[in-house]
């Protein structure tokens, strides 16, 4: 099983010391138009030299350099002549392994801290103001620099807040330039990459498209058909568009219309792929089958299971129409690859698949997004001419509206929810909040309450509006929507959607809630 990924010649390797920072650093490097990859800290100098990196960045990490089992670098790495930037733990490790001293402070520094340049700030910090605000998170601190290094900044609890040895092209900062709360953070990263390490700013979305297309062509050669399941989401859409650019009509997409999509979504997928992009598309209208199997099913896990199973059956049957398909296109992203641990394994979480495709399908995988972060996937989508509605689509669960209807899922309940959900989406977009809010949608509860409309007593269902902010869906907070917006959504839903007489706003964060209701 191979995967078609573009691998540019120039790479910056981000050495992961076990905190959450490595991914963020890798993204910031790419924002500086330099391709980056994350590697484990136990690679040897030979292994690293073999990758011929343009530079190394040592990430932060949760340990103290003094504890047993604290991660180290192969010391030979410091003699390879590769430019190195150490961040937080990475900077302490440079000091510790090269003969300086890392002391245990009386107090650490957490959160916003003022850093002051020493002298002209050396090569790394030259040009920055005398003092600026950064984000720190450390207990230990470098107290003495190694021989031939100089200290170029201080902070209240870091006598050496930045150090460097221009001869060896090794630099370190105690703060986290990768987080947005650090002023001039990206400037520090850019200074290191472009000016000190001599990296070319050549990683652009245009280059990603060109290199990915070349890699897909190389993987698939001149023959063989590929199949791609479209979910309507951005990942499968961009993967399909890239593969189509590479192999044209040898790609067939399958879109399973479960009847559980949002209002207008199926039409849009067909419109975008078949009509605008000219991609061969099998549009399977399978709603009847899904509703039939969902009859009487109310327990959330049972619903998910029914939907997942039916999806696989329908997909397999559709794929029966493309006998010679040898390749399966998947929208696996770089964070999934990193989470799988090895950086090379082609493990796909069923959660990320379209409804969870079975693993015994005998295909060679084509995964053109394996090296990309989500924001890059969106940029590639735009570069390929996909519409904003798809490129900026919010995450949507595989089982669709099925897990946003509490109780039985029927044509009628789906229709009520689709209508209310369309109003919620329209109003959030009209208020200009759609890119700030991670997910926003409506949920239909299976209770009824009494109301009054005109002179009539009503006894109908409530709609719950859910809108959350998040970075990664692991944690989330309820969005502080303006009252006027909530009022507008509430009025419209009650006036326009038959069968609904009350609107509530969900003010539960995750944890303890989840984003979806089921
Ligand atoms: P929860 O509800 O667990 O959701 O906080 C976290 C994120 O995952 C999405 N989600 C799914 N995505 N298949 C998917 O592809 C699924 O079965 C599924 N269930 C939840 C959810 O929308 C949120 O973004």
């Amino acid at each position: 099983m191979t995967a078609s990924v573009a691998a540019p010649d120039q790479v910056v390797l981000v050495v992961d010391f076990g905190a959450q920072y490595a991914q963020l650093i890798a993204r910031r490097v790419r924002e500086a138009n330099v391709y980056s990859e994350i590697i484990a800290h136990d690679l040897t100098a030979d292994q690293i030299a073999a990758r011929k990196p343009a530079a190394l960045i040592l990430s932060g990490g949760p340990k103290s350099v003094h504890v047993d089992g604290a991660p180290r670098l192969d010391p030979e790495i410091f003699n390879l002549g590769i430019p190195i930037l150490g961040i937080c733990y990475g900077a302490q490790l440079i000091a510790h392994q090269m003969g300086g001293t890392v002391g245990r402070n009386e107090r650490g520094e957490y959160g916003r801290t003022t850093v002051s340049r020493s002298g002209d700030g050396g090569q790394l910090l030259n040009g920055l103001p005398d003092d600026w605000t950064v984000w720190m998170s450390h207990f230990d601190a470098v107290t003495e620099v190694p021989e031939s290094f100089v200290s170029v900044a201080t902070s209240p609890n870091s006598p050496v807040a930045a150090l460097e040895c221009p001869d060896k092209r090794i630099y370190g900062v105690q703060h986290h330039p990768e987080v947005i709360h650090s002023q001039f953070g990206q400037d520090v990263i850019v200074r290191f990459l472009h000016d000190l390490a001599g990296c070319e700013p050549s990683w652009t979305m245009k280059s990603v498209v060109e290199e990915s297309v070349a890699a897909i062509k190389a993987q698939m050669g001149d023959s063989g058909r590929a199949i791609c399941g479209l979910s309507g989401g951005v990942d499968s859409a961009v993967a399909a568009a890239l593969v189509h650019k590479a192999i044209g009509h040898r790609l067939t997409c399958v879109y399973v219309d479960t009847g559980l999509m949002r209002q207008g979504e199926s039409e849009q997928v067909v419109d975008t792929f078949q009509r605008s992009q000219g991609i061969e598309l099998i549009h399977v209208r399978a709603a009847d089958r899904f509703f039939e199997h969902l009859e009487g099913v109310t327990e959330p896990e049972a619903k998910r299971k029914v939907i997942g199973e039916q999806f696989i059956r329908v997909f397999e049957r559709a794929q029966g129409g493309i006998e010679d398909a040898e390749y399966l296109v998947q929208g696996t992203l770089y964070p999934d690859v990193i989470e799988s641990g090895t950086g090379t394994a082609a493990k796909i979480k069923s959660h990320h698949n379209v409804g969870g495709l079975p693993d015994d399908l005998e295909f060679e995988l084509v995964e053109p997004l394996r090296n990309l972060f989500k924001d890059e996937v969106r940029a590639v989508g735009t570069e390929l001419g996909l519409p904003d509605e798809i490129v900026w689509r919010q995450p949507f669960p595989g089982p669709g509206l099925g897990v946003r209807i509490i109780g039985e899922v029927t044509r009628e309940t789906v229709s009520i929810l689709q209508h209310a959900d369309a109003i919620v989406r329209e109003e959030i977009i009209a208020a200009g909040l759609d890119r700030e809010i991670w997910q926003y949608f409506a949920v239909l509860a299976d209770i009824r309450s009494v109301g009054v409309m005109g002179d009539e007593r009503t006894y109908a269902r409530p709609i719950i509006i859910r809108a959350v902010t998040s970075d990664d869906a692991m944690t989330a907070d309820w969005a502080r929507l303006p009252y006027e917006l909530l009022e507008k959504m509430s009025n419209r839903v009650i006036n326009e959607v038959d069968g609904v007489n009350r609107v509530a706003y969900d003010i539960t964060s995750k944890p303890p809630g989840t984003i979806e209701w089921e």
Side-chain angles (χ1 to χ4, degrees):
M1 210 156 51
T2 47
S4 52
V5 284
D9 294 339
Q10 175 187 259
V11 60
V12 168
L13 298 178
V14 177
V15 184
D16 183 1
F17 283 106
Q20 72 276 34
Y21 307 110
Q23 277 201 38
L24 196 50
I25 297 170
R27 277 171 54 194
R28 295 285 179 251
V29 172
R30 293 185 188 196
E31 280 166 22
N33 301 112
V34 178
Y35 178 67
S36 61
E37 279 184 24
I38 296 171
I39 58 165
H41 62 79
D42 53 5
L43 261 56
T44 64
D46 285 347
Q47 286 171 316
I48 287 184
R51 296 285 317 266
K52 298 194 174 63
L56 293 179
I57 298 186
L58 316 182
S59 84
K63 291 242 163 83
S64 159
V65 294
H66 296 297
V67 302
D68 280 349
R72 296 277 141 96
L73 272 190
D74 175 350
E76 280 308 310
I77 290 170
F78 295 112
N79 298 325
L80 291 174
I82 299 169
I84 297 178
L85 173 66
I87 292 177
C88 192
Y89 181 84
Q92 294 173 8
L93 204 62
I94 290 170
H96 184 68
Q97 288 197 246
M98 300 193 78
T101 310
V102 176
R104 294 220 69 126
N105 263 348
E106 305 228 318
R107 272 181 293 164
E109 288 173 314
Y110 298 95
R112 279 173 218 282
T113 310
T114 301
V115 164
S116 307
R117 203 161 32 83
S118 307
D120 66 359
Q123 289 192 341
L124 188 62
L125 305 178
N126 199 326
L128 293 189
D130 293 348
D131 306 291
W132 70 103
T133 306
V134 298
W135 196 79
M136 293 268 202
S137 179
H138 69 109
F139 192 76
D140 291 357
V142 179
T143 48
E144 269 175 61
V145 298
E147 205 184 306
S148 75
F149 275 74
V150 287
S151 168
V152 291
T154 58
S155 69
N157 283 320
S158 297
V160 181
L163 70 165
E164 64 181 41
C165 176
D167 286 350
K168 292 191 162 73
R169 298 212 283 172
I170 298 180
Y171 307 82
V173 287
Q174 181 56 66
H175 72 275
H176 287 274
E178 72 276 21
V179 308
I180 48 165
H181 317 291
S182 285
Q183 278 187 307
F184 307 109
Q186 189 65 3
D187 298 278
V188 171
I189 289 169
V190 165
R191 165 69 62 90
F192 170 71
L193 293 171
H194 295 181
D195 301 339
L196 306 178
C199 297
E200 290 294 327
S202 54
W203 172 255
T204 61
M205 287 311 119
K206 193 159 174 285
S207 76
V208 174
V209 171
E210 284 164 7
E211 286 169 27
S212 301
V213 165
I216 295 163
K217 283 182 175 162
Q219 182 189 354
M220 292 189 56
D222 295 330
S223 63
R225 300 189 58 81
I227 185 171
C228 176
L230 288 179
S231 66
V234 59
D235 303 344
S236 59
V238 174
L242 265 178
V243 173
H244 181 253
K245 198 172 165 69
I247 62 160
H249 288 300
R250 284 163 57 202
L251 170 72
T252 302
C253 290
V254 177
Y255 174 64
V256 177
D257 189 343
T258 59
L260 305 171
M261 310 304 282
R262 286 167 290 201
Q263 195 175 79
E265 206 156 36
S266 297
E267 294 76 11
Q268 195 188 30
V269 169
V270 176
D271 239 40
T272 303
F273 288 90
Q274 216 162 33
R275 297 197 196 112
S276 312
Q277 299 264 330
I279 295 181
E280 234 162 88
L281 179 76
I282 302 179
H283 178 187
V284 194
R285 291 177 180 81
D288 287 344
R289 181 189 184 115
F290 280 85
F291 286 123
E292 216 171 276
H293 283 86
L294 283 167
E295 214 178 295
V297 183
T298 53
E299 203 277 318
E301 278 311 301
K303 262 190 218 171
R304 278 179 176 268
K305 205 158 162 243
V306 168
I307 298 168
E309 272 170 16
Q310 292 312 312
F311 191 95
I312 291 164
R313 298 245 171 97
V314 174
F315 188 86
E316 275 174 336
R317 202 182 291 170
Q319 164 228 321
I322 318 158
E323 285 80 15
D324 57 347
E326 288 169 40
Y327 301 92
L328 179 69
V329 180
Q330 293 263 17
T332 317
L333 304 193
Y334 191 45
D336 307 330
V337 175
I338 301 167
E339 276 163 32
S340 77
T342 65
T344 51
K347 178 166 170 259
I348 301 128
K349 286 187 258 164
S350 57
H351 198 75
H352 286 259
N353 284 336
V354 190
L357 296 178
D359 21 356
D360 58 354
L361 289 179
E362 285 183 7
F363 288 111
E364 183 173 320
L365 288 184
V366 180
E367 299 181 298
L369 314 179
R370 269 178 77 86
N371 278 347
L372 303 183
F373 289 109
K374 190 87 173 186
D375 41 356
E376 294 174 317
V377 171
R378 291 195 208 278
V380 168
T382 301
E383 180 74 30
L384 289 168
L386 292 175
D388 276 2
E389 290 81 4
I390 287 193
V391 166
W392 287 98
R393 183 157 284 174
Q394 46 175 328
F396 188 58
L401 299 183
V403 292
R404 294 179 180 172
I405 292 170
I406 318 304
E408 194 181 5
V409 180
T410 63
R411 276 189 186 280
E412 191 208 346
T413 51
V414 168
S415 163
I416 294 174
L417 182 59
Q418 278 179 335
H419 193 172
D421 183 70
I423 292 172
V424 169
R425 286 191 287 144
E426 259 172 53
E427 290 301 330
I428 297 254
I429 291 168
L433 294 174
D434 50 315
R435 295 207 184 166
E436 274 169 46
I437 297 175
W438 175 265
Q439 272 174 284
Y440 46 93
F441 54 87
V443 174
L444 182 66
D446 67 344
I447 52 166
R448 276 159 208 268
S449 71
V450 173
V452 55
M453 275 182 101
D455 293 331
E456 298 276 318
R457 174 188 189 270
T458 58
Y459 186 53
R461 289 177 174 244
I463 278 289
I464 295 128
I465 298 173
R466 182 78 165 137
V468 297
T469 53
S470 177
D471 283 328
D472 54 9
M474 303 292 285
T475 59
D477 198 6
W478 57 279
R480 272 48 173 182
L481 297 183
Y483 281 155
E484 298 71 29
L485 175 59
L486 288 167
E487 181 186 8
K488 199 157 181 206
M489 291 194 289
S490 167
N491 284 343
R492 279 197 61 195
V493 168
I494 290 166
N495 288 328
E496 296 175 32
V497 184
D498 283 343
V500 175
N501 68 347
R502 201 176 280 269
V503 172
Y505 187 49
D506 182 352
I507 52 167
T508 320
S509 61
K510 172 184 179 177
T514 51
I515 294 176
E516 303 292 343
W517 268 50
E518 288 195 340

